[in-house]
Amino acid sequence: MDIQFESIEGNSWTYRITLIVLAAFTVIGFLATLYVIDKGIWVTGMTNRIPWGVQIVMAVYYIGLSAGSLVISGLYGVFGKLEYKPFARIAVYIAMLFLIAGLLSILTDQGRMDRVFIQPFVHFNLQSMFSINPLLYSGHILICVIYLWALFTERKKTTKVVATLAFGWAFCVHSGTGAIFGFGARMLYESPLLPAAFVAAAMASGTALMIITIVVLFRITNRHVDDALILWLGRFLAIILLVVLYFLFMENAYRVYVVELREAALYYLFGGWHAILFWFGLIIIGCCIPMFILFRNKTGNSVRWVLIASIMVVFGILCERYVIVLPGLMHPPEMFPGMLVTGTGVPEGIAPYSLSVVEVLQALGVFGAIGFLFVWGLKAFKLLPNEAKALV
Amino acid sequence: MDRRDFIKTAGGAFLLASSGAYAFRVLTAPSAGWMDVDFTPSGRKWGMVIDMNKCREDCTACLQACREENNVAFVNDDRYDIHWIRKARLQYKEESENPGKSVILLCNHCDNPPCAQVCPVQATYKRHDGIVIVDHHRCIGCRYCMIACPYNARYFNMKESEEWPNKDFPKRSHGVAEACNLCAHRLDAGKMPACVEACARQGCGALYVGDLNDHSSEVSRLIAKSAVKRIRPDLGTEPKVYYIGL
Amino acid sequence: MKGKPLLSPADPGQARLIVIIAVLIFVPLGFSVVSQVSRNRAESPNDFLEKPDPKYEECVRETSYMRFHHWELLRGIREEVVRYGKRSDVGLTKCSECHTSRERFCDKCHNAASLTPDCFDCHYFPK
């Protein structure tokens, strides 16, 4: 099988308008960030009780997408499935971009962005997950670049080595991200399962994203892709979704079962906005309906339905990130178990949180920036194959 | 050489030069080191004892004194106000008609501070004399310490306040985290923290700060002879703020 | 080099080398030219710096040391004070006892070098 990779022409008006729109997003996000630097973090809706918001949710989400896409490229690079070679380049490119997006989200969330480039490297703290993770992230970007280079120059042996390294590294990266929360001190974060659950969710969202990218991109650019390839990915996605559900169940079952966590767990499962996101966004739209679609013979064998399921999964995992990060912060740490604490000048009890415009604009800016790079990369690099055929 | 090649080469050289400059900046930054914790053993270990039996419920002298000494930001909005020391009312959840009792809350200066453990730049750290303190020159504002603290004792400078009562002590610009530093600057100068002095001036004398390692100090005696409690010692953080009559 | 011209722009390898060298030379040169042009005209700092009250004869260290190393001094003191609790009689706030104005002393130099230390967001120093 001989695959030719090519770049797209990029002369059409749709292409140009997409680029312009994405660039406009970037500019908006940049302006929003300047506003935050000037005024302080409070304009993004953060308070002393809710220190992390949408930017961190998006960072975790992007990093998950990145790790997941790398797994898809590993199908060819590590496991030698030749029929997935056509997608290897685009998968690694996406992995790299999303990691950059994650880092950008984290960067624009810092209170003192001017110090971020020096202090963490000079005063490294080996005990801090937040200090280890940037190392993993920058290593991940580096590996992606080498991987891309090996793929572009068609070096078979190097590809295999780098792909294996990248595969393992992606697991570490996402476990590390999970550990930021899982090893934390908040009642709803603390869980040794969380890194593993993060990896599962990452693989689900990454696979779903790759399905969407491949199907949409190939259709827009009039390329042929064999249905069998997509359908196989769909089944793969269904199995990962099972694992995701399993982890979700175990974690919440543990919390409801253990007496000291029960009150927090009930708050998590039934207490407010995020509960709606949890049940409808994550469980029903994100896991159950897609699994139903993918496991059912009739719909599971139709590319259109697999695409719909993938879109649901991508949305569902975004909800999962939200319900991991925010309820854990809204629920206060128990200083005096069984007691009611009032009158302190700080809002005690369940802390209120609502999305703010500025942080959504910032997130939009990050999305625009990497969307721009992605669309531009399609023209600048030879990322897309002329066609993708299944092995018979 | 065509235009593309030129851009590539020039860009590459520029990237190389700037990353070299960046590496130089990082390597020559002051006190570059993996773990720049001060290991010099010091005889002292500052701790605090709060006698809630002596504390008057309506008195907020210590809160006021702290604000005036340390320029703690106050913008009259409970989402952004910073309280290095605060007073809370505790009630049992079942009996809400019971007025409950008040308690003074502040940074516990844990012996195993979770905030210092997670700080990616070692801006928050435990000083050799046991005070958990923030180096505001280093803090990047990631707010991980606020998430790690189980006592809700850490705050973030969301908004800057205009007031600057004590010009000898810096105030904080927005974008850095902070918590009570047990008035380290006053302890170093041989004075007691502002809240302790204010409490003594009120005639209550409910707050004591002293050396826990020194067995003849007032705090050690109080801890030895009375029933003291700490807030959630079960978390393993080893808080160094002891309560009498909690 | 057998008859080969030292530089032949037609050869891509050599052209690349020229570009690299040019960037390495001209980028720093450009920076320094720009900073020279945007610099204050005065020859010696003494011409435009406000003198402290004559009753003070010396700065906290020798004047020549202060002129070129006061930032190192401040950083060192900062490290000692904030991290190790070794209080010192020199400090950022104490500069203002003699150098009463920031605008007429510190900022004169810093503007010329296009520096904007953020210290005074937190540390008190009269304008």
Side-chain angles (χ1 to χ4, degrees), chain B residues 2-216:
Chain B
D2 58 6
R3 186 171 56 120
R4 196 164 216 185
D5 242 14
F6 175 80
I7 292 174
K8 263 192 216 161
T9 330
F14 186 77
L15 272 185
L16 209 72
S18 45
S19 53
Y22 174 65
F24 179 77
R25 177 76 180 77
V26 165
L27 291 177
T28 57
S31 86
W34 288 125
M35 296 296 269
D36 42 349
V37 195
D38 183 12
F39 287 116
T40 26
S42 146
R44 279 214 214 101
K45 184 157 124 187
W46 292 111
M48 189 165 189
V49 172
I50 300 178
D51 191 343
M52 287 317 297
N53 298 333
K54 287 192 195 163
C55 176
R56 282 209 312 267
E57 294 223 346
D58 54 338
C59 162
T60 53
C62 50
L63 281 64
Q64 217 49 47
C66 179
R67 275 191 197 294
E68 269 155 30
E69 171 66 26
N70 294 310
N71 310 318
V72 182
F74 186 76
V75 291
N76 219 343
D77 182 337
D78 63 1
R79 290 172 300 173
Y80 310 125
D81 283 346
I82 295 177
H83 309 263
W84 283 14
I85 179 168
R86 61 199 165 109
K87 264 183 136 172
R89 177 159 295 284
L90 289 184
Q91 284 166 307
Y92 282 103
K93 270 182 190 155
E94 295 80 48
E95 34 191 299
S96 48
E97 67 284 348
N98 188 338
K101 54 193 164 186
S102 80
V103 57
I104 291 178
L105 298 175
L106 73 164
C107 170
N108 277 296
H109 295 280
C110 309
D111 235 7
N112 295 325
C115 49
Q117 191 188 357
V118 301
C119 180
V121 290
Q122 299 182 34
T124 301
Y125 62 101
K126 196 176 78 178
R127 240 167 58 149
H128 55 78
D129 50 5
I131 300 177
V132 178
I133 193 173
V134 187
D135 185 345
H136 292 92
H137 308 97
R138 215 178 256 200
C139 175
I140 58 172
C142 73
R143 320 198 272 297
Y144 199 14
C145 51
M146 303 169 69
I147 294 195
C149 177
Y151 300 110
N152 261 350
R154 295 189 69 83
Y155 296 85
F156 194 71
N157 281 281
M158 300 277 174
K159 273 185 183 176
E160 252 169 89
S161 76
E162 299 302 320
E163 292 155 47
W164 200 332
N166 179 7
K167 300 272 200 274
D168 287 335
F169 192 76
K171 82 178 177 146
R172 270 75 55 193
S173 58
H174 66 72
V176 289
E178 70 182 36
C180 161
N181 63 359
L182 213 60
C183 284
H185 54 289
R186 292 177 68 101
L187 287 176
D188 287 344
K191 289 186 277 186
M192 276 290 124
C195 52
V196 177
E197 275 190 0
C199 194
R201 237 179 291 124
Q202 288 293 314
C204 301
L207 305 175
Y208 306 84
V209 165
D211 186 359
L212 295 177
N213 281 348
D214 173 7
H215 294 293
S216 58

Side-chain angles (χ1 to χ4, degrees), chain A residues 193 196-207 236-252 278 282-283 286-288 291 313 316-317 320-321 324:
Chain A
L193 267 188
F198 260 55
V199 172
M203 280 172 60
S205 61
T207 313
F236 183 62
L237 177 59
I239 292 167
I240 299 172
L241 281 181
L242 263 184
V243 180
V244 171
L245 266 185
Y246 170 75
F247 276 126
L248 276 176
F249 176 76
M250 284 321 279
E251 210 164 42
N252 288 303
F278 178 81
L282 172 57
I283 300 287
C287 292
C288 292
M291 270 185 13
V313 172
I317 300 295
E320 196 226 357
R321 305 311 193 191
I324 283 178

Side-chain angles (χ1 to χ4, degrees), chain A residues 136-149:
Chain A
L136 288 174
Y137 298 160
S138 36
H140 191 273
I141 292 181
L142 196 71
I143 289 177
C144 281
V145 172
I146 298 175
Y147 196 173
L148 268 181
W149 167 77

Side-chain angles (χ1 to χ4, degrees), chain C:
Chain C
M1 312 229 163
K2 280 190 197 119
K4 217 173 159 201
L6 196 60
L7 292 173
S8 69
D11 173 3
Q14 286 206 344
R16 202 164 283 165
L17 194 70
I18 296 173
V19 172
I20 291 178
I21 292 173
V23 167
L24 287 184
I25 293 176
F26 283 113
V27 169
L29 204 69
F31 274 129
S32 57
V33 167
V34 169
S35 59
Q36 284 288 330
V37 168
S38 62
R39 215 170 98 166
N40 208 312
R41 267 318 136 64
E43 277 301 305
S44 137
N46 295 332
D47 299 347
F48 63 96
L49 289 180
E50 184 193 55
K51 283 243 186 257
D53 196 309
K55 74 170 181 262
Y56 304 114
E57 280 154 20
E58 267 280 285
C59 196
V60 285
R61 301 278 184 278
E62 284 151 41
T63 310
S64 58
Y65 173 82
M66 284 308 280
R67 185 174 297 166
F68 295 115
H69 299 280
H70 61 274
W71 52 90
E72 285 166 18
L73 177 75
L74 284 173
R75 281 188 200 136
I77 291 171
R78 180 172 89 187
E79 210 77 357
E80 298 250 296
V81 170
V82 182
R83 296 197 80 87
Y84 306 124
K86 297 188 185 113
R87 297 283 146 181
S88 136
D89 49 349
V90 182
L92 198 46
T93 329
K94 287 172 191 121
C95 306
S96 59
E97 278 167 22
C98 310
H99 307 292
T100 46
S101 161
R102 204 165 86 209
E103 249 160 19
R104 274 167 285 143
F105 186 74
C106 316
D107 284 354
K108 279 257 165 78
C109 265
H110 294 163
N111 288 345
S114 54
L115 278 169
T116 47
D118 61 2
C119 319
F120 307 112
D121 294 352
C122 304
H123 291 272
Y124 183 71
F125 206 118
K127 259 223 167 291

